[in-house]
Amino acid sequence: MNRIFKSLKESKSACWVALALLVVPMFASYFFDDMFSSLSHLFRNPELLELGWDYEDYGFYAGGYSFLCVCGGLIACGILLDMFGVRIVGSVFVGMMAAGAATVTFAVSSGMPPRISLTVAYIGCMLFGLGSEIAGVAVTRSIAKWFKGKNVALAMGLQLSIARLGTAAALVLSPVLVAQKAEGQMYMLSETSRPAFLGLALLMAGAVLWAVFVAMDARFDRQTGLSDRTVTAEEDRFRFSDIWKVLTNPRFLMIALLCVFFYCCVIRFKKFGTSILIPLFDMELETATWMLSMIPFFTIVFTPLFGALVDKVGKATVWMITGSVMVLASHIIITFAPQGVAIYGYAAIALLGIGYSLVPSAMWPSVPKIVPEKNLGTAFSLIYWIQNMGMMIIPIFIGKIFKNGITESGNKAQEISAAIHAEYIFVLLGAVAVTVAVMLFLSSRKHPQLRLDEPSRS
């Protein structure tokens, strides 16, 4: 490690050490964000939760992640990234991510009345969400810098893969930390808050490793004469008019729209995954949890492979269409497959996991091809801003569907009906994602000079 720090400019392994430091905060972020995903069924009976939340409360809390992002926080902070650099701004928002998680953990463990705990948790989730998104932009920009001219798609794929391992860990560990009880037994705060405490500890460790990366990145810039700020010359300085240039770029808008519709099909599905899979496929919680965890486990395997594939052969827009079609097919299977036949559920989740690996592997490395480097922080932030509009709205609708559709606890027919109606939303989102991916493919054919479908390396 000392040898790497002394001569980062010549070290061939330095970029991989930097990647290793960057992935831990994202792993922790994904874990904390999904800590309740495999426990969503508990909110069916708020009278058995000392926390006192129901489905609608849970949907409201989950939407809090995106509130500050949608209110302009992402755009403003993306501009700050371009103006003041990754190290300063990234550090602020890694700290905000940890502070928000600490607020949520306090809210779900302190014994406050349900309305107050929900309000405090929502505030914490807002801080955590904005911090997490800007930290993600900082990590993505850092990878683009350290792997410029190298295996950037592979590096981004590895980062996504390891981050999603955090989701897998949350899906698998949360039901272990909050063990299932017999019918009618109460779940105490000391039990339901365990995933939050574990997630908070992981975020603290991630913050420490981010600090190590900051020191490494500063030394790298001193050795190479570079800067973590994109402003290097008068003609390259950030201007607010650049926001309009980014937003009026048709390819950028297509990628941003694909991002929001595609990610809602997967990420917001996971939030209510057990509540959908258990009634539709007539399975136990443990089986549904492992089925749901297939999504991140598939991405762990396939995202780096698909990233290397995009680097080598290109065809990014083709892979985006293919992955979007897989996700749409997955939700169609979940919605219309014979109920109670688990094999259809496994097939659908496998398709979802592969599609979830394929689209980001092709989509994220395409952004630097259509946006000037000096505006990358703003561009990624704008994408996340548009994405978070859907991320905020969709869980609120899904939560209302489950709360209003299940009026009688333990009514199997009502649970199945609510799950199917929730799936209709995901099918619609998937259809729009496929349409946008096709539009991007056609636009790429009309503008070959952008080289969207060319490989990143020979």
Side-chain angles (χ1 to χ4, degrees):
M1 178 67 77
N2 287 335
R3 190 181 301 114
I4 291 172
F5 267 78
K6 287 179 180 178
S7 186
L8 294 172
K9 185 176 180 180
E10 290 81 14
S11 174
K12 295 181 179 179
S13 59
C15 57
W16 298 107
V17 174
L19 181 64
L21 296 172
L22 290 168
V23 298
V24 177
M26 292 296 96
F27 172 95
S29 170
Y30 276 56
F31 181 96
F32 196 89
D33 187 38
D34 278 309
M35 63 183 178
F36 286 139
S37 293
S38 54
L39 300 174
S40 64
H41 60 283
L42 296 180
F43 300 105
R44 176 180 56 196
N45 300 309
E47 68 278 3
L48 298 179
L49 285 174
E50 188 180 3
L51 184 60
W53 296 1
D54 59 22
Y55 270 128
E56 188 173 10
D57 296 331
Y58 172 57
F60 176 74
Y61 160 78
Y65 180 99
S66 302
F67 182 82
L68 289 178
C69 302
V70 171
C71 289
L74 267 174
I75 300 175
C77 297
I79 294 170
L80 291 176
L81 272 173
D82 283 337
M83 295 177 67
F84 299 106
V86 164
R87 291 194 293 271
I88 295 175
V89 178
S91 297
V92 170
F93 287 95
V94 168
M96 180 183 287
M97 180 171 65
T103 304
V104 172
T105 303
F106 171 74
V108 300
S109 62
S110 62
M112 293 181 285
R115 295 300 96 188
I116 297 177
S117 70
L118 180 61
T119 301
V120 175
Y122 189 82
I123 293 171
C125 195
M126 289 192 301
L127 296 173
F128 168 76
L130 182 59
S132 182
E133 291 295 301
I134 295 299
V137 175
V139 166
T140 303
R141 266 200 56 186
S142 297
I143 293 173
K145 169 187 173 181
W146 279 76
F147 286 85
K148 186 176 182 179
K150 303 173 187 175
N151 301 310
V152 63
L154 173 60
M156 288 186 177
L158 284 170
Q159 188 273 130
L160 279 172
S161 176
I162 296 171
R164 289 171 182 170
L165 182 59
T167 290
L171 294 175
V172 172
L173 290 178
S174 290
V176 175
L177 294 171
V178 187
Q180 188 174 16
K181 294 191 171 185
E183 189 74 25
Q185 285 191 308
M186 193 82 173
Y187 287 87
M188 309 305 294
L189 288 175
S190 59
E191 298 169 305
T192 54
S193 63
R194 289 170 187 166
F197 278 107
L198 176 57
L200 180 59
L202 291 171
L203 283 165
M204 293 301 181
V208 171
L209 292 181
W210 170 262
V212 176
F213 167 77
V214 166
M216 183 177 177
D217 191 62
R219 182 180 290 269
F220 176 78
D221 283 354
R222 287 195 297 270
Q223 292 178 0
T224 59
L226 299 175
S227 171
D228 75 326
R229 303 185 190 186
T230 56
V231 178
T232 57
E234 182 60 34
E235 62 270 20
D236 292 328
R237 290 186 182 277
F238 174 84
R239 296 175 176 84
F240 283 98
S241 60
D242 292 338
I243 298 176
W244 179 249
K245 291 179 182 178
V246 172
L247 284 173
T248 54
N249 183 327
R251 267 66 58 187
F252 171 83
L253 288 176
M254 291 175 197
I255 287 178
L257 290 174
L258 174 61
C259 185
V260 63
F261 291 114
F262 177 83
Y263 272 94
C264 281
C265 282
V266 183
I267 296 175
R268 286 328 187 204
F269 167 78
K270 285 187 298 167
K271 289 292 183 185
F272 294 88
T274 53
S275 298
I276 292 172
L277 296 175
I278 288 174
L280 289 184
F281 296 104
D282 193 22
M283 56 181 56
E284 298 296 324
L285 171 62
E286 184 177 3
T287 305
T289 297
W290 280 105
M291 182 183 288
L292 196 61
S293 69
M294 287 171 57
I295 299 173
F297 281 126
F298 266 79
T299 66
I300 291 164
V301 174
F302 287 108
T303 302
L305 295 178
F306 290 146
L309 179 68
V310 173
D311 276 332
K312 186 67 177 177
V313 305
K315 307 295 182 185
T317 58
V318 175
W319 303 128
M320 290 185 224
I321 293 174
T322 304
S324 299
V325 169
M326 286 182 170
V327 168
L328 173 59
S330 169
H331 284 295
I332 290 174
I333 292 172
I334 292 172
T335 307
F336 299 107
Q339 293 173 11
V341 184
I343 189 64
Y344 289 104
Y346 285 109
I349 297 301
L351 283 173
L352 196 66
I354 296 172
Y356 189 35
S357 305
L358 191 48
V359 171
S361 298
M363 181 174 64
W364 294 118
S366 297
V367 178
K369 294 183 178 182
I370 62 175
V371 176
E373 185 176 357
K374 67 169 184 167
N375 300 131
L376 275 181
T378 301
F380 282 122
S381 296
L382 285 168
I383 292 175
Y384 291 152
W385 174 60
I386 295 170
Q387 172 188 323
N388 274 277
M389 291 182 186
M391 294 291 194
M392 183 176 71
I393 295 170
I394 295 302
I396 295 174
F397 276 107
I398 301 297
K400 285 182 177 295
I401 287 173
F402 277 103
K403 181 180 180 179
N404 297 334
I406 305 176
T407 58
E408 181 183 342
S409 180
N411 189 313
K412 189 73 172 179
Q414 288 184 349
E415 292 176 6
I416 292 173
S417 176
I420 290 175
H421 280 84
E423 273 299 304
Y424 287 155
I425 293 179
F426 294 121
V427 170
L428 177 61
L429 293 171
V432 177
V434 172
T435 302
V436 175
V438 171
M439 291 171 60
L440 184 60
F441 168 81
L442 296 175
S443 181
S444 176
R445 292 297 178 270
K446 290 182 180 179
H447 300 275
Q449 73 276 11
L450 296 173
R451 304 196 297 179
L452 277 177
D453 288 316
E454 291 189 10
S456 299
R457 62 183 179 88
S458 58

